[in-house]
Amino acid sequence: MTAAVVPAPSTIRQVDAAPFRLEGAGLVGDADAAAALRGLVTPLTGSALDGDERTIELRIEPGGAPESYVLAADEASVVVTGADAAGLFHGVQTLAQLVHESADGWVVDAVEVEDAPRFRYRGVMLDVARHFHPVATVEAFIDRAALLKFNHLHLHLTDDQGWRLHLDAHPELTRVGSDTSVGGDPGGFYTKDDYRHLVAYAAARHITVVPEIDMPGHTHAVGLAYPQLVEAPVLSDHILETVAAFGGDAPAVGVAYDGMAVGFSSLRIGDERTYDFVADVFGELAGMTPGPYLHVGGDEALGTDPADFAAFIARATEIIADLGKTPIAWHEAGAAADIASGTIGQYWGYVTPTDGMDAKALAFVRNGASLILSPADAIYLDMKQSADSPLGLTWARGVTDVRRAYEWEPTEVIDGVAEDDILGVEAPLWTETVRTLADIDELAFPRIAAAAEAAWSPAVGASELRTWESFRERVAAQAPLWSAQGIGFHRSEGIPWP
Ligand code: ACM
């Protein structure tokens, strides 16, 4: 397949002309976009794109939809025109995907592409709490996300196993709350400069960082640093069963937790010191986060009384809103009647909802806000993608193959949630079993491309490209570019890899 673009563009048309040959071609126009294109095409082809026989022109022409671009290629030239810098950057990703080897060397076939995103919010999430991932790994994850036109990186910065961001107001969080990861693996944390660097690195790739500080559950690490802020662990049967199944010790007061159980910890809801803490934490975070969103978590607070949970969510989201930021919360927070207006919900139930999770998500929409969809049995990238791999978990109907990751339509997940109620789509990667960039690649690829297509491309039924048969061919064609970028993708069955 020679015009194999992932995520599928709005329109792509073959043009009756000979292909554009890369040999002897040079780049003109926007310098940032040119650097991005060289970063993709040079490792693939060996060409520095510094010839003068024919040109690839990269330019910005305001006027189109945000993040949109047009690409026109024939034997004489390639012109990529972005409506803004992000649109041009996305067009560069498309152009790199169109480069392929032929009898005439490396070429781009004659095509015309017109493209714009379906959803404004296209996210990936990396859990840096269950296993800490150093700055270089997060940079590599950002590069991978950019290839697929994602524009948000959600960092799950805190959990029972570790607090991963230094904050001046509460230095003990990282001094004593970040030493380990799941399985007793090494921990770590980001300095404020590390965090600012990641924000800037992402912004240079048109990606906005969405930091999450998970509350009121998932807070055992807080208690290591500030015991007065948390309750003792609630050791339900569910927790003890998880401990028995996955090993390690049960959670205990004052002891770093390196197991995989969830739902045993809670901040002290009735204590005013808790809200001083919440205000300090989100205030300091807001000061170094230029993006509009702060994620407050709110999931799996199984150790928190429901009325207390609702009261906490109302206050925490109000604190964030008062900082001038838009709160995001996992869908459980939809149960809180007094949640701050405008709070965005993130749905992590199944493609076919169970257990009333859809009702909690729908509450955000009823409250006048929108939803991010992260259906766990489709695009939780940490679900096993092969039964015999040590990587990944299975609780969300895993094993999850790439076809299941692909075959769902955002408007068909929750009754009463239509196109305009959906801010976007996000694929989370939790890292209980994930230690290295190679592990990330093996679990994320190629399923991350399926999530990108749900987020960017026309709806299922609105484009002939939005079928599994088309996707499997187009995703297979990414293999040379992915390999040239050093991505150790999983060679999923069912994909005709070259
Ligand atoms: C989640 O998977 N607990 C959001």
Side-chain angles (χ1 to χ4, degrees), residues 299-300 330 348 380 430:
D299 57 323
E300 298 175 312
W330 296 106
W348 62 280
Y380 260 35
W430 304 98

Side-chain angles (χ1 to χ4, degrees), residues 226-389:
Y226 300 101
Q228 67 276 20
L229 296 176
V230 300
E231 304 288 357
V234 175
L235 299 180
S236 65
D237 289 348
H238 168 71
I239 300 293
L240 296 174
E241 281 161 20
T242 308
V243 170
F246 289 96
D249 295 326
V253 175
V255 181
Y257 183 64
D258 63 7
M260 294 206 214
V262 292
F264 57 82
S265 53
S266 182
L267 292 177
R268 287 203 173 133
I269 307 298
D271 190 325
E272 280 308 304
R273 289 176 297 186
T274 293
Y275 301 95
D276 294 340
F277 174 76
V278 173
D280 287 348
V281 164
F282 282 110
E284 202 166 330
L285 190 59
M288 51 182 169
T289 302
Y293 305 118
L294 299 181
H295 201 309
V296 66
D299 57 323
E300 298 175 312
L302 309 176
T304 313
D305 169 80
D308 285 351
F309 175 74
F312 176 85
I313 290 294
R315 284 190 72 174
T317 53
E318 205 57 59
I319 286 169
I320 292 172
D322 285 348
L323 290 164
K325 297 292 187 184
T326 300
I328 305 180
W330 296 106
H331 68 237
E332 288 96 318
D338 296 327
I339 193 166
S341 73
T343 301
I344 290 162
Q346 185 166 8
Y347 173 77
W348 62 280
Y350 293 164
V351 166
T352 301
T354 57
D355 304 321
M357 296 193 194
D358 48 342
K360 289 177 184 155
L362 193 57
F364 289 90
V365 172
R366 296 253 159 84
N367 198 26
S370 56
L371 285 176
I372 297 165
L373 299 180
S374 302
D377 55 345
I379 57 167
Y380 260 35
L381 301 175
D382 58 306
M383 288 299 109
K384 275 189 192 293
Q385 64 177 334
S386 66
D388 55 1
S389 169

Side-chain angles (χ1 to χ4, degrees), residues 375-427:
D377 55 345
I379 57 167
Y380 260 35
L381 301 175
D382 58 306
M383 288 299 109
K384 275 189 192 293
Q385 64 177 334
S386 66
D388 55 1
S389 169
L391 288 177
L393 300 173
T394 56
W395 61 263
R397 297 180 60 229
V399 175
T400 302
D401 64 17
V402 60
R403 184 166 185 166
R404 168 127 60 85
Y406 186 76
E407 288 193 315
W408 65 284
E409 157 54 35
T411 49
E412 288 174 9
V413 175
I414 300 172
D415 275 351
V417 171
E419 182 92 8
D420 288 350
D421 302 321
I422 300 171
L423 184 66
V425 170
E426 179 179 297

Side-chain angles (χ1 to χ4, degrees), residues 18-371:
F20 179 90
R21 292 176 52 230
L22 254 57
E23 193 185 335
L27 287 178
V28 296
D30 186 89
D32 291 339
L37 185 64
R38 283 200 175 91
L40 297 170
V41 172
T42 304
L44 178 66
T45 66
S47 167
L49 297 174
D50 56 1
D52 57 10
E53 292 172 31
R54 64 195 80 79
T55 58
I56 297 172
E57 184 180 353
L58 305 171
R59 63 183 193 200
I60 298 171
E61 219 173 84
E67 299 191 86
S68 68
Y69 70 91
V70 175
L71 183 155
D74 61 22
E75 60 195 297
S77 68
V78 177
V79 181
V80 186
T81 309
D84 49 26
L88 179 58
F89 185 77
H90 299 321
V92 160
Q93 311 304 316
T94 295
L95 177 53
Q97 294 184 10
L98 291 171
V99 170
H100 68 101
E101 206 165 16
S102 76
D104 288 331
W106 291 95
V107 298
V108 175
D109 288 348
V111 289
E112 285 176 6
V113 180
E114 287 178 30
D115 201 8
R118 177 179 180 189
F119 293 117
R120 268 195 301 142
Y121 185 107
R122 306 177 306 279
V124 286
M125 189 207 85
L126 185 65
D127 167 12
V128 297
R130 270 48 175 275
H131 273 95
F132 179 68
H133 295 279
V135 167
T137 301
V138 181
E139 288 177 356
F141 194 60
I142 291 168
D143 290 339
R144 283 150 172 71
L147 275 178
L148 293 162
K149 304 186 175 77
F150 287 102
N151 65 354
H152 288 82
L153 170 70
H154 170 181
L155 286 175
H156 182 77
L157 288 165
T158 66
D159 214 301
D160 292 314
Q161 293 83 354
W163 185 285
R164 306 304 185 194
L165 177 65
H166 177 82
L167 294 174
D168 294 335
H170 294 279
E172 300 296 295
L173 289 167
T174 43
R175 197 183 70 76
V176 303
S178 70
D179 284 350
T180 63
S181 291
V182 165
D185 288 333
F189 66 89
Y190 307 120
T191 65
K192 292 177 77 163
D193 281 347
D194 288 340
Y195 179 80
R196 289 192 191 97
H197 166 80
L198 286 172
V199 167
Y201 189 94
R205 288 150 186 83
H206 303 281
I207 290 176
T208 300
V209 169
V210 179
E212 179 187 354
I213 305 290
D214 202 350
M215 300 176 172
H218 295 274
T219 43
H220 185 79
V222 175
L224 301 180
Y226 300 101
Q228 67 276 20
L229 296 176
V230 300
E231 304 288 357
V234 175
L235 299 180
S236 65
D237 289 348
H238 168 71
I239 300 293
L240 296 174
E241 281 161 20
T242 308
V243 170
F246 289 96
D249 295 326
V253 175
V255 181
Y257 183 64
D258 63 7
M260 294 206 214
V262 292
F264 57 82
S265 53
S266 182
L267 292 177
R268 287 203 173 133
I269 307 298
D271 190 325
E272 280 308 304
R273 289 176 297 186
T274 293
Y275 301 95
D276 294 340
F277 174 76
V278 173
D280 287 348
V281 164
F282 282 110
E284 202 166 330
L285 190 59
M288 51 182 169
T289 302
Y293 305 118
L294 299 181
H295 201 309
V296 66
D299 57 323
E300 298 175 312
L302 309 176
T304 313
D305 169 80
D308 285 351
F309 175 74
F312 176 85
I313 290 294
R315 284 190 72 174
T317 53
E318 205 57 59
I319 286 169
I320 292 172
D322 285 348
L323 290 164
K325 297 292 187 184
T326 300
I328 305 180
W330 296 106
H331 68 237
E332 288 96 318
D338 296 327
I339 193 166
S341 73
T343 301
I344 290 162
Q346 185 166 8
Y347 173 77
W348 62 280
Y350 293 164
V351 166
T352 301
T354 57
D355 304 321
M357 296 193 194
D358 48 342
K360 289 177 184 155
L362 193 57
F364 289 90
V365 172
R366 296 253 159 84
N367 198 26
S370 56
L371 285 176

